[in-house]
Amino acid sequence: MTERAINFGAGPSALPDSVLEEAARGLVNFQGTGIGIAEISHRSKEFTAFVSNLESLIRTQLDVPPTHKILFTQGGGTGQFSAVVLNMLARHRLLHPNLTDEERFMDYVVTGSWSKKAAAEARRLGGGKVNIVAESSHSIPSHDSFKFSSDPALIYYCENETVDGVQFSHEPSSPASFPFHLLPQNTLLPLVADYSSSFMSRKIPRLADHAIIFAGAQKNIGPSGLTIIIVREDCLVDVDAAAKLGAVPVPITMAYKTLADSSSLYNTPSTLPMYMAGLVLERSQELGGVQYFEELNKRKADKVYSVLKEGEAKGIFHGKVKEGSGSWMNITFGVLGEGAEAKFLAGAESRGMKALKGHRSVGGIRVSLYNAITEEQTDQLVAYMREFITENAS
């Protein structure tokens, strides 16, 4: 393999070299079948066994309880903005058939670009009223600002905001944690979490209390084209029965029950992304699973935030997120001074470090530290940032 750049891109993101090399072999010959993974039937015994193992790898490493199904589909996290609304409104309609749309609420916590888009899609689809539970910019809202509805169809939050660099803490005592204690107790919560950019990077707090957890694969798991959904079984509802009661009809391939009943093989799935995700998760399990990556990712993030503070003290960098709300996966900051950002990016590029430019909607710098980014690669970035501080401090 020729020399590769260090890819700090936010997604599609870096993948381990060993996985890419093995995937290249699988493109030619999948598990000794003589047929490449992109060519083989999704109903072959080899591929269906692979899908079963892929589910097992996720269930084992995340401790997913038997009350939840693991599903695989397409459409990315954005596709789930729609699917979540349609499936959860169908469930709520079956539970409360006599409520009007004006009496049916969908709760959204808005902490950045993606949760804002999710709420906008819920408004567009209709079928209920969107209630913004809490909203903030560049930080996790304070717990006393959360105002949940009494019996909503769904409660949505985005665990990690890729664009903005804001993430809920997974420490229960942190003021930046998700306020589970404010939710109704001793009930099946309609809690929905978008974990697209942090899935498998660390443990999921109170996973069993979630109705749905979804993640696009193209951050920590594999290439784009695969979406992973963890769904509690009471959310696998008969969407056609709900439609007869007035719910919005759900497209057949977006109905969670369809995916569950067919073991995610109702139609042809994303075979190559699923194969690569399986290779990534097998490697993860060999290294020690989510616990290994949680410890590694904390070290990486701590190093970058530490040098960012050094740069802030010297007037070189400007962190964009309130301390305590910063993401482990996507660290965002600005470079102060005319032309300084372009200079920083050019210097990084010359050192083989690419894709550090912030999202087009917010600008600045964004360092994405997904699982495939090694501690050594992180150290190279930290050394460059420190060098940049020294050279540009007045």
Side-chain angles (χ1 to χ4, degrees), residues 4 19 30 39 45-46 55 57 68 70 101 109 142 149 153 172 196 217 237 245 263 266 355 358 363-364 388 390:
R4 284 164 48 79
V19 166
F30 171 61
E39 308 165 291
K45 67 179 187 297
E46 294 86 0
E55 177 187 339
L57 287 165
H68 289 62
I70 298 174
D101 288 356
V109 180
S142 62
S149 303
S196 287
V237 300
L245 295 174
S263 300
Y266 181 81
F388 189 87
T390 301

Side-chain angles (χ1 to χ4, degrees), residues 158-375:
C158 181
E159 196 269 348
N160 181 70
E161 289 281 2
T162 325
V163 172
D164 307 89
V166 173
Q167 185 173 27
F168 283 92
S169 171
H170 65 333
E171 297 295 338
S173 60
S174 169
S177 64
F178 189 84
F180 292 100
H181 62 285
L182 298 179
L183 297 170
Q185 304 300 307
N186 303 315
T187 186
L188 290 174
L189 296 168
L191 188 61
V192 176
D194 179 351
Y195 263 80
S196 287
S197 50
S198 58
F199 194 66
M200 303 302 295
S201 68
R202 65 189 194 188
K203 292 180 180 178
I204 297 178
R206 295 180 63 164
L207 186 154
D209 288 334
H210 288 74
I212 299 166
I213 291 168
F214 66 85
Q218 67 275 13
K219 312 294 185 179
N220 278 313
I221 308 301
S224 58
L226 169 65
T227 309
I228 299 164
I229 318 170
I230 301 173
V231 186
R232 199 174 60 221
E233 289 187 349
D234 64 282
C235 299
L236 304 172
V237 300
D238 186 338
V239 295
D240 292 335
K244 290 176 182 177
L245 295 174
V248 177
V250 182
I252 193 69
T253 57
M254 296 183 80
Y256 295 145
K257 190 174 188 303
T258 300
L259 294 172
D261 289 348
S262 62
S263 300
S264 300
L265 298 174
Y266 181 81
N267 62 331
T268 308
S270 301
T271 53
L272 177 58
M274 290 173 77
Y275 174 58
M276 294 182 71
L279 296 179
V280 168
L281 291 169
E282 285 173 355
R283 174 180 178 269
S284 170
Q285 185 162 279
E286 290 169 3
L287 289 170
V290 172
Q291 184 64 41
Y292 167 84
F293 280 106
E294 180 164 343
E295 293 169 2
L296 172 64
N297 289 329
K298 185 178 189 307
R299 291 197 304 272
K300 293 186 316 191
D302 284 348
K303 289 180 177 184
V304 176
Y305 278 115
S306 178
V307 74
L308 177 55
K309 278 188 177 180
E310 293 175 26
E312 287 181 310
K314 295 289 181 66
I316 304 300
F317 300 139
H318 171 65
K320 294 189 172 186
V321 176
K322 181 181 177 182
E323 188 170 355
S325 296
S327 170
W328 287 15
M329 295 285 94
N330 312 102
I331 299 175
T332 58
F333 60 93
V335 186
L336 302 175
E338 186 176 350
E341 180 183 308
K343 181 180 178 182
F344 179 87
L345 291 169
E349 184 94 12
S350 71
R351 291 162 174 79
M353 294 179 279
K354 297 190 175 184
L356 284 162
K357 189 174 180 61
H359 191 272
R360 63 187 179 277
S361 64
V362 296
I365 306 298
R366 175 170 54 175
V367 180
S368 294
L369 299 174
Y370 298 126
N371 287 0
I373 295 294
T374 67
E375 192 164 8

Side-chain angles (χ1 to χ4, degrees), residues 17-40:
D17 289 352
S18 61
V19 166
L20 294 172
E21 291 165 354
E22 181 61 29
R25 288 188 283 271
L27 269 172
V28 178
N29 187 349
F30 171 61
Q31 296 187 347
T33 59
I35 301 174
I37 183 61
E39 308 165 291
I40 200 164

